Amino acid sequence: MTADSSRHGSGPSTAERSSAGRPVADVADVPPHSAEFLATVAARELAGRHRVFAGVGLPTLAVDLAKRTVNPGVELVYESGVVGAHPEAMAEGIADSVLVSGSEAMLSMDALFGYVLQGGYVDVGFLGAAQVDRVGNINTSVIGDWRRPEVRLPGSGGASDIMASAREIVVVLRRHDPHALPADVDFCTSPSPVRARRQEGFHQPEGAGVTTVITPLGILRRPDRYGELELAAVHPGVTVAEAAENTGWDLRVRADVAETPRPRAEDVRLLREEIDTVRLYLR
Amino acid sequence: MTADSSRHGSGPSTAERSSAGRPVADVADVPPHSAEFLATVAARELAGRHRVFAGVGLPTLAVDLAKRTVNPGVELVYESGVVGAHPEAMAEGIADSVLVSGSEAMLSMDALFGYVLQGGYVDVGFLGAAQVDRVGNINTSVIGDWRRPEVRLPGSGGASDIMASAREIVVVLRRHDPHALPADVDFCTSPSPVRARRQEGFHQPEGAGVTTVITPLGILRRPDRYGELELAAVHPGVTVAEAAENTGWDLRVRADVAETPRPRAEDVRLLREEIDTVRLYLR
Amino acid sequence: MTGSKVTTLTEAVAAHVRDGMTVALEGFGHLIPFAAGHEIIRQRRRDLTMCRMTPDILTDQLLVAGCVSRLVASFFASGSAGSLYEIRRRVEQHDPAPLETEEYSHYGMYCRYEAGAKRLPFQPLLSYVGSDLPALNPRIRSVESPYGEGRVYVVPPLNPDVTIVHAQRADASGNTQLWGITGAQAPAAYAASAVIVTVEEIVAPEVVRADPNRTLIPAHAVDAVVEVPGGAHPSYAQGCYDRDSAFYREWTPISRDREAALAWIDEWIHGTADHAGYLAKLGQQRWDGLRVAPAPSGSVSYGRRKE
Amino acid sequence: MTGSKVTTLTEAVAAHVRDGMTVALEGFGHLIPFAAGHEIIRQRRRDLTMCRMTPDILTDQLLVAGCVSRLVASFFASGSAGSLYEIRRRVEQHDPAPLETEEYSHYGMYCRYEAGAKRLPFQPLLSYVGSDLPALNPRIRSVESPYGEGRVYVVPPLNPDVTIVHAQRADASGNTQLWGITGAQAPAAYAASAVIVTVEEIVAPEVVRADPNRTLIPAHAVDAVVEVPGGAHPSYAQGCYDRDSAFYREWTPISRDREAALAWIDEWIHGTADHAGYLAKLGQQRWDGLRVAPAPSGSVSYGRRKE
């Protein structure tokens, strides 16, 4: 499963103490580190995309919101084999029965990973991560040494398969600090094309790797297949300096760095009143 | 398709001018080269076998007869993906709809060839052939040179896959002469383990290869995986010398060479009145 | 879910099948896309590389009509009904011209589609050790197992320019459901650059979505959907109509005589405007003889979460 | 068709699961064979190598109970519900003992079962180029494509001693039908030396044979068939009952405290005679809350040839 594996500490992070439960009177009370804010930013990334491979957690909220706002035709694909999901309720995981009932196709895992994913049908792979580094390598395996790690993370699941073959990867991080965004990952579960290229003589994967990282502070983007992550936007109230200081490498800032537009009241209302009514991800 | 591809000439062979249509008053009027005789002999080979991969033609008759006589529990598997067929009428081919309706499983071709066949679940593969040679190599591809053959035969179909992985292969030939039973095949479509072993360094297939060849004159058997075909039985009215003379190599005769028991009247009745009522294979 | 891809067979073939292309028309004895093949003949396509595990009568007809210059296949006869004489004439006598063939076993051919669909550089299989097939087909190669069990044969991907399949039903966006023998249709579709699906019936999305496990080719892999009832004749569609075995027997003498075969193509394909015309010419009585009695699968439940 | 293989779970586990074996319990979020796993705990099997793409709570429980010494998997958490703390304690603190793990991506693990089922020496896939995974797992190797596209990673076959799966239904001889998410069940079954199938319902052969395309594991691959209604709890069976999400949330604090987890095993597994006892302890009210409303697939026809 391509779980939202960003929480590798114990106890809730600041990002988890969100504004859920309050009325949507003023969207200014939706802070940039909240699930509502991040999901809305992530949803916007799906505008114009045909097919999205969605993981658990924030990606679930984001694809649902995108389908109700910027991209009603987006096709939701899950590693469990579901293609063209039309869930009647919010999915609690990528193998939830609500994703299956009423879906357009329920494929074998071989067809899903082999035909759909390796076959190049996935436009955006939506992943969580514990760490993303400068060139977009992802770590979802361990913090510390693999033999006896400080934290045993969930591992690859489908992530390294998705990284190799989805056209591009969007990552949502629940924290923005040098641990989550180091210069180099502790362990590379899912490699950037930059790292894949170093393995000379190997058939190179088709995927462009991580193109976008959405964090509680801003949006990082890689300009091309072999480039490095740059600061493309900061969230309202966040300074460029703040984003740079909290990144584990000397973060390049785009000349056209922008401020992320706030969620609309309707986005927040949909998330709270129609999508995550049980407050599974909005806490 | 593992067709009965033994007829590579034009026009019916002597074997095809069978006794079909006559009453089953006296089974002595069922000659050894007839479809009734050959199918009955072939059916007896299935006694005690669990799972049979059946091709088109005489194998169809033989498996049906076996199921009604010596082996009611035999499981019929077809390369089209049918597992556990219970046809309500005689199948005209391995992709006939009657094999599908009421079957126990309709697998993908990948599951059929990969899981069932390569996985070692097939006890007997039932094949036709234009040529079988001394060590049990099968030719179903061409007579003459492949680039511009005298006769273009049907080719492998599933035969070379079946040869590699079925525990053993039973071949039914509609003619017994040095063309059909040469010392060496013109072209080896489906190799004996004897030939496979010569390809040093290759992962050797599990199948024992051709163990039994049923012809209009008798039954040939290979004593072991790397042995050669020997005369194990002659049909009523056929001499050992006649069988040997019509074989393309110096045919070894088993010390215990026997006379093939005739079909019972019930076998012939079943074939004519219940199995091939439309006289598709019984001509 | 995408928009409607429903079109006519004339338009679908015109849009997606061009001279010189590699075209897969799959269907293993069942659901053979005859109507689409006939439309290729009507539109007089030339120089096609035809991919079919079991060429069947359809390939014999496309050859007679002059559409095909190359054949990639794993069986060169017609099931129970014997030789395909146009193929034999081309191969044995080079009459009227030689036919380039590329030959595999069934599983070898299937694995080529699998590798094509999965964008794998090769797919291993257990066949061919000791066979003459690799010697005449340089595309069958071998690889040493890195786990020490010796060499194993492999086949390369097969990626058709266009794959055409026939199925029992699809919705307008192309979610395609088939049952009975499912052949190489799904990997052949995923391996191709473009996919045309002809179906017995275009159904509402709700029908498809009530039983998603039956969808073997999702809409995202499909470019054109065409409703062509009877589109598999003389092969069959499980549950809809049976194989026209008489037709298969009748083809043998036609195929044996090139002039007769050409005349058949002229009369039955060029002489009819489309598949509806072909079926009308075939006649209602013959069609009635192919009907099958119902045999319901029964219904299972997928369940809905209660509020 | 073979004879009846119907037995009890107690007998099936006693007959087929022995200490030190490699055991696959598959089911991808759906149809997880919890009842069978609990029976393994009851019978106090030791030193098992556990194979599961997604270990899930079931593996955490088997670890707590001391049954497992080695884990082959592709995900080490519990879907949406967070960490599996027994796994983490074993790996991070070697408490109470280290746990040997062998790690793949999902598709790598799936391909291992595929290669196992197909007796292939290896299966290529497009993953791992540039990843650290091959460095820590020497079973992930690479092969040079003989078609010139460079090297590709491969995984070796995985052949469990026994595979256990849960399904919606089977007949007494073991023809097994499942729908919804079908996971790695079919290849994991074919890859194994012995196969136990637990089902929500044993049905008449006619039910299975009315819809043969739904049979994913035919009788010939099955050694024991056991009717265990609710056998996937707290996971779910599509169309029968839903996932007990509350249980998944409740497991997190239990799993975090080793003593609590041991107490849970004692109370719920050793404290119940079998799965019926476990369900009785769970209570009808909780079960009623997991019921789903019907959502029929609809019926298709397979057809019967007319006389």
Side-chain angles (χ1 to χ4, degrees):
Chain A
M1 299 176 204
T2 56
D4 177 13
S5 51
S6 59
R7 288 165 288 124
H8 59 77
S10 55
S13 73
T14 50
E16 288 172 328
R17 290 192 296 276
S18 83
S19 54
R22 285 183 249 161
V24 199
D26 182 1
V27 293
D29 72 352
V30 175
H33 61 257
S34 69
E36 286 91 338
F37 194 102
L38 294 171
T40 305
V41 173
R44 289 189 202 123
E45 293 295 318
L46 302 181
R49 266 43 176 262
H50 294 301
R51 208 157 300 108
V52 175
F53 201 112
V56 167
L58 278 182
T60 303
L61 296 181
V63 296
D64 201 335
L65 183 60
K67 220 171 149 63
R68 292 164 194 256
T69 55
V70 295
N71 193 347
V74 68
E75 180 180 309
L76 309 184
V77 174
Y78 295 84
E79 63 193 10
S80 50
V82 178
V83 169
H86 297 270
E88 291 190 330
M90 190 184 69
E92 300 186 26
I94 52 81
D96 192 318
S97 66
V98 299
L99 294 174
V100 174
S101 295
S103 66
E104 295 173 39
M106 189 57 246
L107 300 183
S108 73
M109 292 194 83
D110 196 40
L112 199 286
F113 279 92
Y115 301 169
V116 181
L117 182 60
Q118 288 195 171
Y121 285 85
V122 175
D123 298 313
V124 178
F126 229 134
L127 301 178
Q131 297 185 316
V132 182
D133 73 14
R134 187 171 192 142
V135 294
N137 295 306
I138 291 181
N139 175 17
T140 53
S141 296
V142 290
I143 301 296
D145 178 59
W146 187 82
R147 303 286 149 190
R148 188 159 174 172
E150 239 176 273
V151 186
R152 171 69 235 202
L153 299 164
S156 167
S160 58
D161 308 314
I162 296 164
M163 182 73 120
S165 296
R167 279 176 206 280
E168 61 173 305
I169 302 293
V170 174
V171 176
V172 186
L173 292 179
R174 300 295 296 259
R175 40 190 280 192
H176 186 143
D177 58 38
H179 295 286
L181 289 158
D184 293 289
V185 285
D186 288 20
F187 182 94
C188 178
T189 315
S190 305
S192 163
V194 174
R195 210 165 189 275
R197 186 168 57 168
R198 280 187 226 139
Q199 264 200 292
E200 274 175 46
F202 272 79
H203 183 71
Q204 291 295 306
E206 292 285 318
V210 175
T211 56
T212 306
V213 179
I214 298 163
T215 80
L217 300 184
I219 302 174
L220 279 58
R221 296 193 195 273
R222 284 168 73 237
D224 58 63
R225 190 177 176 79
Y226 300 113
E228 68 174 64
L229 286 163
E230 304 170 341
L231 188 65
V234 287
H235 299 328
V238 178
T239 64
V240 166
E242 201 178 336
E245 279 158 24
N246 284 285
T247 303
W249 68 90
D250 187 10
L251 183 65
R252 203 177 289 166
V253 179
R254 289 201 183 173
D256 60 351
V257 65
E259 184 176 281
T260 318
R262 286 184 181 281
R264 300 169 308 142
E266 174 64 4
D267 296 324
V268 180
R269 190 194 67 75
L270 284 168
L271 284 167
R272 292 183 186 173
E273 294 172 19
E274 297 198 15
I275 297 172
D276 191 4
T277 54
V278 298
R279 297 289 188 266
L280 184 68
Y281 303 117
L282 302 175
R283 276 170 283 200
Chain B
M1 298 177 208
T2 56
D4 176 13
S5 51
S6 59
R7 288 165 288 124
H8 58 76
S10 55
S13 75
T14 51
E16 287 172 327
R17 289 192 296 276
S18 84
S19 55
R22 285 182 249 161
V24 200
D26 182 1
V27 292
D29 73 351
V30 175
H33 62 258
S34 68
E36 287 91 339
F37 195 102
L38 295 171
T40 305
V41 173
R44 289 190 202 123
E45 294 294 318
L46 302 182
R49 265 42 177 262
H50 293 300
R51 209 156 299 108
V52 175
F53 201 112
V56 168
L58 278 181
T60 303
L61 295 182
V63 297
D64 201 336
L65 183 61
K67 220 173 150 61
R68 292 163 194 257
T69 56
V70 295
N71 192 348
V74 67
E75 181 180 310
L76 309 183
V77 174
Y78 295 84
E79 62 193 10
S80 51
V82 177
V83 170
H86 296 271
E88 292 191 328
M90 190 185 69
E92 300 185 27
I94 50 82
D96 193 318
S97 65
V98 299
L99 294 174
V100 174
S101 296
S103 65
E104 295 173 39
M106 188 58 246
L107 299 183
S108 73
M109 292 193 83
D110 197 40
L112 199 288
F113 280 92
Y115 301 168
V116 181
L117 183 60
Q118 288 194 171
Y121 285 86
V122 174
D123 298 313
V124 178
F126 228 136
L127 301 178
Q131 298 184 317
V132 183
D133 73 15
R134 187 171 191 142
V135 295
N137 295 307
I138 291 181
N139 175 16
T140 53
S141 295
V142 290
I143 300 297
D145 179 59
W146 186 81
R147 303 286 152 193
R148 188 160 174 172
E150 240 176 89
V151 185
R152 172 67 236 202
L153 298 163
S156 167
S160 57
D161 308 315
I162 296 163
M163 182 73 120
S165 296
R167 277 175 208 280
E168 61 172 304
I169 303 292
V170 174
V171 177
V172 187
L173 292 180
R174 300 296 296 257
R175 40 190 280 191
H176 187 141
D177 59 37
H179 295 287
L181 289 158
D184 293 291
V185 286
D186 288 22
F187 182 95
C188 178
T189 314
S190 306
S192 163
V194 175
R195 210 166 189 276
R197 186 169 57 167
R198 279 188 226 137
Q199 265 200 290
E200 274 175 45
F202 272 78
H203 183 70
Q204 291 293 307
E206 292 286 318
V210 175
T211 56
T212 306
V213 180
I214 298 163
T215 80
L217 300 184
I219 302 174
L220 281 57
R221 297 192 195 273
R222 283 169 72 237
D224 59 61
R225 191 177 175 79
Y226 300 114
E228 67 174 62
L229 286 163
E230 304 170 342
L231 188 66
V234 286
H235 299 330
V238 177
T239 64
V240 167
E242 202 178 335
E245 278 159 24
N246 282 285
T247 302
W249 67 89
D250 187 10
L251 182 65
R252 203 177 289 164
V253 178
R254 290 200 182 174
D256 60 351
V257 65
E259 182 176 281
T260 318
R262 286 185 182 280
R264 300 169 308 142
E266 177 62 4
D267 296 325
V268 180
R269 189 193 68 75
L270 284 167
L271 285 167
R272 291 183 187 172
E273 293 171 20
E274 297 198 16
I275 297 172
D276 191 4
T277 55
V278 298
R279 296 288 189 267
L280 184 68
Y281 303 118
L282 302 176
R283 276 170 284 199
Chain C
M1 185 125 60
T2 48
S4 171
K5 293 165 188 159
V6 176
T7 181
T8 65
L9 195 45
T10 311
E11 282 165 9
V13 168
H16 296 290
V17 183
R18 285 183 292 280
D19 290 355
M21 274 188 169
T22 296
V23 180
L25 286 93
E26 276 299 345
F28 194 84
H30 175 221
L31 295 171
I32 302 177
F34 268 94
H38 290 169
E39 185 57 28
I40 290 172
I41 293 174
R42 275 192 203 95
Q43 297 194 16
R44 300 183 191 275
R45 289 291 175 278
R46 289 294 175 266
D47 201 26
L48 301 178
T49 291
M50 172 84 171
C51 309
R52 256 191 74 73
M53 294 179 71
T54 56
D56 205 272
I57 287 177
L58 179 56
T59 308
D60 222 33
Q61 293 175 343
L62 281 155
L63 277 166
V64 167
C67 304
V68 174
S69 60
R70 198 160 170 278
L71 180 58
V72 183
S74 47
F75 196 70
F76 295 79
S78 169
S80 57
S83 288
L84 298 167
Y85 285 97
E86 178 68 15
I87 293 182
R88 287 188 57 179
R89 268 192 301 278
R90 298 282 296 266
V91 172
E92 295 168 9
Q93 285 132 45
H94 298 186
D95 167 23
L99 173 68
E100 199 185 332
T101 60
E102 188 179 319
E103 188 168 355
Y104 299 89
S105 65
H106 276 344
Y107 199 41
M109 183 83 175
Y110 188 92
C111 287
R112 286 207 62 189
Y113 286 128
E114 280 284 321
K118 294 173 178 169
R119 269 58 179 176
L120 290 172
F122 59 86
Q123 174 64 40
L125 69 163
L126 299 184
S127 308
Y128 306 138
V129 183
S131 170
D132 281 334
L133 283 167
L136 64 85
N137 184 344
R139 283 187 178 80
I140 302 175
R141 297 184 185 169
S142 70
V143 152
E144 180 80 25
S145 166
Y147 302 99
E149 292 97 343
R151 300 191 75 79
V152 63
Y153 278 105
V154 300
V155 292
L158 175 53
N159 291 104
D161 294 306
V162 57
T163 287
I164 308 180
V165 303
H166 188 71
Q168 281 101 336
R169 69 190 188 190
D171 64 20
S173 64
N175 288 301
T176 303
Q177 301 195 323
L178 48 159
W179 56 93
I181 295 164
T182 55
Q185 280 95 314
Y190 269 104
S193 303
V195 174
I196 301 171
V197 173
T198 63
V199 290
E200 291 297 319
E201 189 185 9
I202 294 177
V203 296
E206 293 70 32
V207 173
V208 163
R209 288 173 45 195
D211 197 358
N213 284 90
R214 275 207 214 283
T215 306
L216 298 190
I217 308 174
H220 61 229
V222 175
D223 297 277
V225 181
V226 189
E227 189 171 77
V228 189
H233 179 273
S235 81
Y236 74 103
Q238 191 83 38
C240 303
Y241 50 89
D242 218 337
R243 184 173 187 259
D244 190 345
S245 295
F247 187 98
Y248 273 78
R249 284 190 290 274
E250 288 158 20
W251 181 255
T252 303
I254 296 170
S255 168
R256 207 189 290 262
D257 173 356
R258 187 167 160 77
E259 292 309 311
L262 282 165
W264 189 92
I265 296 288
D266 270 346
E267 180 185 345
W268 285 84
I269 309 303
H270 293 304
T272 56
D274 55 19
H275 194 65
Y278 167 94
L279 289 183
K281 187 171 164 63
L282 202 65
Q284 190 60 42
Q285 198 184 346
R286 183 151 187 165
W287 195 254
D288 289 343
L290 302 176
R291 294 218 176 280
V292 291
S297 67
S299 180
V300 302
S301 179
Y302 279 80
R304 289 181 64 178
R305 183 163 296 163
K306 291 175 177 170
E307 291 299 308
Chain D
M1 185 124 59
T2 46
S4 171
K5 294 164 188 161
V6 176
T7 182
T8 65
L9 195 45
T10 311
E11 283 166 9
V13 168
H16 296 290
V17 183
R18 285 184 290 281
D19 290 355
M21 275 189 168
T22 296
V23 180
L25 286 93
E26 276 299 345
F28 194 85
H30 175 221
L31 295 171
I32 301 177
F34 268 94
H38 290 170
E39 185 57 29
I40 290 172
I41 293 173
R42 275 192 203 93
Q43 297 193 17
R44 299 182 192 277
R45 289 292 175 276
R46 289 295 175 265
D47 200 26
L48 301 178
T49 291
M50 172 83 171
C51 309
R52 259 191 71 74
M53 294 180 71
T54 56
D56 205 272
I57 287 176
L58 179 56
T59 307
D60 221 33
Q61 294 175 342
L62 282 155
L63 277 165
V64 168
C67 305
V68 174
S69 60
R70 197 160 170 277
L71 180 58
V72 183
S74 47
F75 196 71
F76 294 79
S78 168
S80 56
S83 288
L84 298 167
Y85 286 96
E86 178 67 15
I87 293 182
R88 286 188 56 178
R89 267 191 303 276
R90 297 283 295 266
V91 172
E92 295 168 10
Q93 287 132 42
H94 297 187
D95 167 24
L99 173 67
E100 198 185 334
T101 60
E102 186 180 319
E103 188 169 354
Y104 299 89
S105 64
H106 276 343
Y107 199 41
M109 182 84 174
Y110 188 93
C111 286
R112 287 207 62 188
Y113 286 127
E114 280 284 321
K118 295 173 179 169
R119 269 59 179 174
L120 290 172
F122 60 85
Q123 176 62 41
L125 69 163
L126 299 184
S127 307
Y128 307 138
V129 183
S131 170
D132 281 335
L133 283 166
L136 65 85
N137 183 343
R139 284 188 178 80
I140 302 175
R141 297 185 184 169
S142 70
V143 152
E144 180 79 26
S145 166
Y147 303 99
E149 292 97 343
R151 299 192 78 80
V152 63
Y153 278 105
V154 300
V155 291
L158 176 52
N159 291 104
D161 293 307
V162 56
T163 287
I164 307 181
V165 303
H166 187 71
Q168 281 101 337
R169 68 189 189 190
D171 64 22
S173 63
N175 289 301
T176 304
Q177 301 195 322
L178 48 158
W179 55 95
I181 294 164
T182 55
Q185 281 94 314
Y190 268 104
S193 303
V195 174
I196 301 172
V197 173
T198 62
V199 291
E200 290 298 319
E201 189 187 9
I202 293 177
V203 295
E206 293 69 33
V207 173
V208 162
R209 288 174 45 197
D211 197 358
N213 284 89
R214 275 208 215 281
T215 307
L216 298 189
I217 307 173
H220 61 228
V222 175
D223 297 278
V225 181
V226 189
E227 190 170 76
V228 189
H233 179 272
S235 81
Y236 74 104
Q238 190 82 38
C240 304
Y241 50 88
D242 218 338
R243 185 174 187 259
D244 190 345
S245 295
F247 187 99
Y248 274 78
R249 284 189 292 272
E250 289 158 20
W251 182 254
T252 302
I254 296 170
S255 167
R256 208 189 291 261
D257 173 354
R258 188 169 159 76
E259 292 309 312
L262 281 165
W264 188 92
I265 297 288
D266 270 346
E267 179 183 348
W268 285 84
I269 309 302
H270 293 304
T272 57
D274 54 18
H275 194 65
Y278 167 94
L279 289 183
K281 185 171 166 64
L282 202 65
Q284 191 60 42
Q285 198 185 345
R286 182 153 187 163
W287 196 255
D288 288 342
L290 302 176
R291 294 218 177 277
V292 291
S297 68
S299 179
V300 303
S301 179
Y302 280 80
R304 290 181 64 178
R305 184 164 295 164
K306 291 175 177 170
E307 291 298 307

